Amino acid sequence: MRPSDEPGWFSEGAGAAEVIAGEVRGAPPGEVPGRLCDTAVRLLPVTGASASLRCDGVPVRLCASGDRASYLAEIQTTLGDGPCVSAAESGAPVLACDLTAGADAGRWPVFAQQATAVGVRAVYALPLGSDAVCLGTLDLYRETPGGLTGPQLHAARLVAGVMTVALMALPRGEETWLDELAGDHDEVYQAVGMIMAQLGVGADEALARLRADAFARDRTAHDVACDVLTHRRRLDRDH
């Protein structure tokens, strides 16, 4: 039985805090986000978790607890839309409790369609950072509609808080995994620059075209960017 299934587990906030502390104790800061995604799935009534960093308004996946969580993080990057994008923009938690109907389904219709197609019905996105700066988001995925209780939301905030501390404490010179993420991000924007030059459009439209092409061909924005940079893919004016 996992902790979140135990009666009264969230009646005392110290219980979740102890589990989180135990999972990250002694771990290098670079390993903490991945461990915390797995911990969130153990602690909470969710089946997946991912973390994304915010780079110039584009979410870049940092880690995920599994393939489905990774896919949903990449979909939000490709679409430029979804709960994690909204949470990063607002700096406040976004709790999409039912992606099958109502306001949540209408707020991100394409993302909601993609999420429900792979069996996810609710998403909870919590910002990473402070009131002044949002570094990214922790995104939690659930197979059934519904919200989080007060104690469950508190536990999710604890996970996000510890993840934020780890990101901010990462020593200079030990950022290999962040450098790799930055490389992915740079390739997307290099491709956007090429599309701007080829089509004579602005940056926003070029990025929108790249994302649309990726979505239409069931690929990630980074995959299409690599194709553009290596001249395997050219977006036409009427694309």
Side-chain angles (χ1 to χ4, degrees):
M1 179 180 290
R2 69 181 188 177
S4 57
D5 293 328
E6 296 177 10
W9 171 256
F10 287 104
S11 63
E12 296 183 7
E18 289 171 1
V19 171
I20 294 167
E23 290 295 327
V24 302
R25 187 174 293 117
E31 294 182 8
V32 169
R35 290 193 183 194
L36 288 176
C37 281
D38 293 337
T39 301
V41 175
R42 288 183 53 233
L43 279 176
L44 297 163
V46 299
T47 54
S50 66
S52 296
L53 297 183
R54 187 184 188 194
C55 299
D56 295 336
V58 177
V60 180
R61 181 178 56 79
L62 172 60
C63 56
S65 63
D67 290 343
R68 182 165 58 175
S70 180
Y71 169 76
L72 291 173
E74 291 289 355
I75 280 291
Q76 293 182 83
T77 297
T78 297
L79 294 174
D81 193 27
C84 89
V85 177
S86 297
E89 289 175 346
S90 67
V94 172
L95 308 179
C97 299
D98 189 355
L99 294 173
T100 65
D104 293 333
R107 185 174 180 183
W108 313 280
V110 180
F111 170 75
Q113 181 183 38
Q114 295 295 306
T116 55
V118 296
V120 169
R121 303 293 185 268
V123 179
Y124 318 113
L126 289 84
L128 304 173
S130 64
D131 292 339
V133 178
C134 180
L135 303 175
T137 60
L138 168 67
D139 306 302
L140 307 171
Y141 307 100
R142 179 169 163 173
E143 293 179 345
T144 56
L148 296 176
T149 66
Q152 289 168 349
L153 182 57
H154 175 69
R157 287 179 181 273
L158 285 176
V159 173
V162 174
M163 192 176 292
T164 295
V165 170
L167 292 172
M168 297 182 72
L170 193 66
R172 300 297 299 179
E174 296 183 14
E175 300 177 353
T176 302
W177 51 281
L178 284 179
D179 290 341
E180 292 173 355
L181 289 174
D184 291 352
H185 174 259
D186 288 345
E187 287 169 344
V188 169
Y189 277 94
Q190 288 171 22
V192 165
M194 287 182 63
I195 296 168
M196 291 170 64
Q198 291 168 358
L199 304 184
V201 298
D204 289 346
E205 182 175 347
L207 179 58
R209 285 173 179 258
L210 186 149
R211 282 171 161 163
D213 186 77
F215 181 73
R217 298 193 297 129
D218 196 25
R219 305 190 70 201
T220 68
H222 179 249
D223 289 340
V224 174
C226 290
D227 286 350
V228 170
L229 291 174
T230 55
H231 305 286
R232 293 194 300 267
R233 182 71 176 166
R234 180 184 175 93
L235 304 188
D236 298 326
R237 289 182 181 276
D238 59 353
H239 182 78

